[in-house]
Amino acid sequence: GSIPSMLLICYALTCFISGYTGGSFYKRYGGKFWKNQMVLSGVLFPGMALTIVVMLNMAAILYESQAAISLNALLCVIAIWLFIAFPLLFFGTLFGKNMTEELDFPCRPARYRRPIPTKQWFTHPITLAVAGGVLPFGSIFIEMYYAFTSFWNYKFYYVYGFLFLVYCILIVVTMCVTIVCIYFLLNSEDYRWQWTAFIAGGSTSGYVFLYAVYFFFNKTHMYGLMQTAFYFGYTSIFCFYLFLLTGTIAYIGTSIFVHRIYYYIKSD
């Protein structure tokens, strides 16, 4: 349909922004293997999504369903990725890598890593990562019902303005909750905040997937292998995208917070 086509075009055209952002962040933190970072940025999400779509398409062809995507359409998608998205990603990565200097840390880091003391269970990175997605999911819980109902029960969806407002609320809540989690982590003398922040923000997608499981068994009338595969296949793609989105938002907000508080610490 028109919506998937528009999403595909928007993704391809914004690959330059993705490349610039990834290249600049990688260079800022002293990364040396920028080619690996570029390939991972270009393959991670599209590769996962294309693999699931191909598997679902094989199931649709096996069941002789009209939901099957033609070979020409799949080849067109691959061509757009190869000849439009990936070149834009390449030039964006080069531009971001060459236009960005390495990060000037707000205070002088220690020469050796300090041992991390034993912490309380609620300050453990795993606990913080799991708990970090509860409030962001609660902020979008009501709208998730209407969105799932519209998409899977074939009903019209009208309130796109309110959906955008919920998206803005999700951004703000994700940043605030992750900052609080990282504050507890740093307060317990654990400096490993980067991946904890990313996973804490991205854990929202786990709660969305659990809600999708509940919605499938209680709000839909789907049955059979093909319908189940299509439901959980496309839901997995959406949840993985949401994981990357909320994890990135959480990391950016937390990075600003961490650099800001250490800016006021005097170096010895």
Side-chain angles (χ1 to χ4, degrees):
S2 59
I3 294 180
S5 301
M6 185 61 65
L7 291 176
L8 179 62
I9 294 173
C10 290
Y11 172 81
L13 295 179
T14 54
C15 279
F16 181 84
I17 301 175
S18 173
Y20 175 81
T21 305
S24 60
F25 261 85
Y26 193 71
K27 175 66 177 298
R28 193 174 301 165
Y29 285 95
K32 303 299 182 182
F33 305 99
W34 65 272
K35 295 179 182 178
N36 296 341
Q37 176 269 320
M38 179 190 66
V39 172
L40 185 62
S41 299
V43 172
L44 181 61
F45 177 71
M48 190 277 297
L50 184 62
T51 301
I52 293 178
V53 169
V54 169
M55 294 176 62
L56 295 179
N57 198 54
M58 293 174 60
I61 294 175
L62 182 64
Y63 280 88
E64 299 181 353
S65 172
Q66 295 181 352
I69 303 174
S70 64
L71 180 61
N72 292 333
L74 286 176
L75 293 177
C76 182
V77 171
I78 296 175
I80 291 175
W81 178 75
L82 284 176
F83 298 108
I84 298 179
F86 203 81
L88 288 175
L89 180 72
F90 174 74
F91 288 113
T93 303
L94 285 180
F95 189 73
K97 181 178 73 73
N98 295 326
M99 296 295 293
T100 305
E101 298 179 355
E102 291 191 7
L103 184 64
D104 184 16
F105 292 99
C107 63
R108 187 175 61 191
R111 184 181 298 271
Y112 303 103
R113 294 184 178 182
R114 296 179 57 185
I116 300 174
T118 304
K119 300 182 294 295
Q120 297 286 341
W121 64 270
F122 55 84
T123 59
H124 196 277
I126 297 178
T127 305
L128 296 175
V130 172
V134 176
L135 287 180
F137 171 72
S139 66
I140 63 173
F141 170 73
I142 301 299
E143 198 61 24
M144 287 298 303
Y145 169 79
Y146 294 105
F148 272 62
T149 302
S150 173
F151 190 82
W152 293 111
N153 290 341
Y154 305 102
K155 296 182 180 180
F156 290 103
Y157 190 84
Y158 299 100
V159 286
Y160 291 102
F162 188 74
L163 181 63
F164 177 74
L165 178 62
V166 172
Y167 172 72
C168 295
I169 294 175
L170 174 64
I171 293 176
V172 175
V173 174
T174 300
M175 283 188 176
C176 294
V177 171
T178 311
I179 286 174
V180 173
C181 292
I182 297 306
Y183 175 78
F184 281 111
L185 185 72
L186 295 176
N187 197 41
S188 63
E189 301 183 31
D190 191 342
Y191 50 83
R192 303 169 300 178
W193 64 269
Q194 290 89 349
W195 280 109
T196 304
F198 185 83
I199 298 176
S203 64
T204 305
S205 62
Y207 295 101
V208 171
F209 187 81
L210 292 177
Y211 175 76
V213 174
Y214 164 80
F215 188 89
F216 177 80
F217 288 106
N218 293 276
K219 302 296 182 180
T220 67
H221 301 285
M222 296 182 182
Y223 60 92
L225 178 61
M226 195 187 76
Q227 290 186 348
T228 304
F230 265 72
Y231 179 87
F232 286 104
Y234 284 111
T235 300
S236 299
I237 295 176
F238 170 73
C239 290
F240 185 66
Y241 164 76
L242 185 64
F243 174 78
L244 297 177
L245 173 68
T246 52
T248 303
I249 292 170
Y251 177 82
I252 293 175
T254 308
S255 178
I256 296 173
F257 166 75
V258 171
H259 284 79
R260 197 64 182 173
I261 60 175
Y262 279 98
Y263 177 79
Y264 296 101
I265 296 179
K266 294 182 179 180
S267 301
D268 294 333

